[in-house]
Amino acid sequence: MCLRQLAVRPRTRVELAKALAKREISDEVIAEVLDRYDEVGMIDDAAFARAWVSTRHQGRGLARRALANELRQRGVDAEVAGAALESVDDDAEAATARALVDRKLRTVRGEPDAVFRKLVGMLARKGYSAGVAIRAVKDALADRDAEAAEFAAQIDADAMPDE
């Protein structure tokens, strides 16, 4: 059962334990099997967390907050998750937010205030703080056109906290 689970994608120890528990396998057997998988390196929560953070940040543009939540849901220890999340620094997060806004800005239409709300909402759903989201959208709108630049000039991105 564990091998089938691992064939689909890497799994954490907790995910495998839950899958085995669903099949009503005893806790002793689960612990023994997972300890053996740990020994031979078939499950490694630290490697899982590093790979998860890398692929989800680059592929989906998720912020550290969203990544931490996903790792927590998969049973990764907070300390292990924190170490994996160190690879995403403030500059990388801001650059990713800006790239997401630039990509979305190509297709979104409407008044600058409506566009602003849509884009900030999109970043918020991806886990970005209000400060980072507003700053990225403000900068992108300022570069878009005169009307959007005028609207963006009225926004004080520094008034919002980064956390």
Side-chain angles (χ1 to χ4, degrees), residues 47-69:
F48 173 88
R50 286 189 304 273
W52 189 267
V53 166
S54 175
T55 58
R56 301 288 283 179
H57 178 69
Q58 292 172 359
R60 300 252 335 222
L62 297 181
R64 287 182 296 232
R65 185 180 343 170
L67 293 167
N69 186 41

Side-chain angles (χ1 to χ4, degrees), residues 17-159:
K18 285 180 184 177
L20 293 172
K22 272 187 190 175
R23 299 286 188 156
E24 298 179 4
I25 296 173
S26 72
D27 292 341
E28 298 83 30
V29 172
I30 291 173
E32 188 177 320
V33 168
L34 295 181
D35 287 344
R36 180 65 182 140
Y37 275 47
D38 269 339
E39 279 179 33
V40 297
M42 292 186 73
I43 54 175
D44 180 357
D45 284 358
F48 173 88
R50 286 189 304 273
W52 189 267
V53 166
S54 175
T55 58
R56 301 288 283 179
H57 178 69
Q58 292 172 359
R60 300 252 335 222
L62 297 181
R64 287 182 296 232
R65 185 180 343 170
L67 293 167
N69 186 41
E70 287 185 350
L71 290 173
R72 186 174 39 259
Q73 289 174 346
R74 281 159 181 74
V76 175
D77 181 66
E79 189 175 307
V80 173
L85 290 168
E86 287 177 2
S87 66
V88 180
D89 62 3
D90 292 340
D91 293 337
E93 197 169 70
T96 302
R98 177 61 193 262
L100 287 167
V101 169
D102 287 342
R103 186 170 53 206
K104 186 72 171 177
L105 200 53
R106 288 185 228 137
T107 60
V108 72
R109 300 286 176 251
E111 295 297 314
D113 61 332
V115 170
F116 177 81
R117 285 193 309 274
K118 281 182 187 178
L119 294 174
V120 169
M122 178 223 14
L123 291 176
R125 287 186 297 279
K126 290 187 176 282
Y128 290 91
S129 68
V132 170
I134 289 171
R135 209 168 293 115
V137 175
K138 177 183 175 176
D139 293 346
L141 286 177
D143 293 344
R144 185 178 187 188
D145 58 44
E147 182 184 4
E150 185 179 318
F151 175 79
Q154 300 170 14
I155 300 168
D156 184 11
D158 297 323

